[in-house]
Amino acid sequence: MTTKLRCIVADSYGELSQIGADAVEAAIKADPNVSVLVATGNTPMGLYQELARRRANGAFDASHVRVFQLDEYLGLEPEDRRSLFGWTRRSFVDPLGIPLENVTRLAPDAGDLEAACRAYDAAIKSAGGLDLAILGLGPNGHLGFNEPPADAHAPTRVVDLTIESIESNAQYWGGRDVVPRVAMTAGMDVILGARQTLLVVSGSHKRDVLERTVAGAVTPDVPASYLQLASDVIVLADRDAWGAMPQPR
Ligand code: GLP
């Protein structure tokens, strides 16, 4: 197995969360105004909890961090428990003491969804681009909700979720019937434009897709494989996800 990506294999999910928190804390300390694209999903939750713990202990101040939402379902009421904005807020924004005015949402309730997507991209541009993208890996290789096949230049847009994503998201909400079918996602162009990327991957169910991401062909069928072409990427996996691939150097 050869990969150009910088890969770190943690012994456990707990260690993955510590190493991930180290990287995000370092980015915040290096630039208190850092612009961060923030994933939901289960994998980064331990990292976020560890960051919140450190911040509560006075390790750093996140009040100037700028947050950009990665993805959102369409068709939900603002207070719906399934809102990914709500999840981003509960897990990252509020525990880190980041003011809401520092958060750029995807706006799935906008009358003009295309205009909302362009406004989101413009907000990233006017922030000077993304400094850091914290991403999880979809079981079908998606990043955000850039479902395969996805072009590397795919913009921020509305997408139909694939059956794989509906099934994997069912674990969050208690069944596939309650998973919305349509979503809005930060584009591949936005994600791949981040100056630094941290992809967190945990669990044996991600083994195949992780191997295709780091060591397979760069292909629209595995949108995460485009990270092989991005500039400063850390793939942070636990041993269960890394499986039998050779230990990275
Ligand atoms: C979800 C989300 C992604 C998330 C990924 C992995 O469908 N759209 O933003 O990063 O899949 O989720 P998890 O970490 O729960 O495996």
Side-chain angles (χ1 to χ4, degrees):
M1 195 267 320
T2 54
T3 180
K4 290 193 281 296
L5 289 164
R6 180 173 166 218
C7 300
I8 299 173
V9 184
D11 281 336
S12 63
Y13 179 71
E15 190 184 61
L16 176 152
S17 301
Q18 294 287 335
I19 295 170
D22 290 346
V24 179
E25 180 181 342
I28 295 171
K29 283 180 167 165
D31 176 6
N33 299 302
V34 67
S35 294
V36 188
L37 187 66
V38 175
T40 55
N42 287 331
T43 315
M45 292 304 128
L47 186 174
Y48 297 166
Q49 282 163 14
E50 175 58 19
L51 267 184
R53 192 189 66 75
R54 295 182 189 186
R55 179 255 172 189
N57 289 339
F60 61 91
D61 171 22
S63 62
H64 298 288
V65 170
R66 291 171 294 177
V67 171
F68 293 83
Q69 188 182 355
L70 175 63
D71 47 22
E72 184 58 280
Y73 301 122
L74 257 63
L76 302 182
E77 296 297 324
E79 299 307 318
D80 193 292
R81 68 185 176 94
R82 296 165 292 173
S83 154
L84 297 181
F85 174 70
W87 195 357
T88 304
R89 212 181 145 176
R90 287 191 301 279
S91 63
F92 192 90
V93 173
D94 292 347
L96 292 183
I98 299 170
L100 269 188
E101 67 251 31
N102 291 13
V103 182
T104 299
R105 298 182 63 165
L106 289 162
D109 49 354
D112 183 341
L113 294 171
E114 172 62 21
C117 291
R118 301 289 66 80
Y120 174 89
D121 287 348
I124 291 179
K125 203 171 173 192
S126 73
L130 292 170
D131 296 305
L132 173 64
I134 307 171
L135 303 173
L137 178 61
N140 60 357
H142 75 210
L143 296 176
F145 277 131
N146 287 281
E147 301 282 42
D151 190 273
H153 304 288
T156 299
R157 67 204 182 286
V158 172
V159 289
D160 291 322
L161 298 190
T162 60
I163 190 67
E164 290 92 340
S165 292
I166 291 166
E167 279 171 0
S168 76
N169 283 213
Q171 64 183 310
Y172 310 144
W173 318 118
R176 64 152 90 169
D177 291 346
V178 284
V179 179
R181 281 0 192 200
V182 187
M184 194 182 262
T185 184
M188 286 305 304
D189 55 352
V190 165
I191 292 172
L192 296 173
R195 284 183 274 277
Q196 190 187 6
T197 299
L198 179 64
L199 178 72
V200 287
V201 191
S202 171
S204 56
H205 62 298
K206 296 280 179 75
R207 271 185 202 174
D208 287 350
V209 72
L210 177 59
E211 181 159 3
R212 285 189 289 140
T213 296
V214 302
V218 176
T219 166
D221 296 330
V222 184
S225 67
Y226 291 124
L227 292 174
Q228 294 180 37
L229 308 176
S231 51
D232 183 356
V233 179
I234 298 175
V235 177
L236 175 55
D238 63 14
R239 203 159 286 291
D240 285 347
W242 192 257
M245 287 194 282
Q247 187 74 13
R249 275 180 285 172

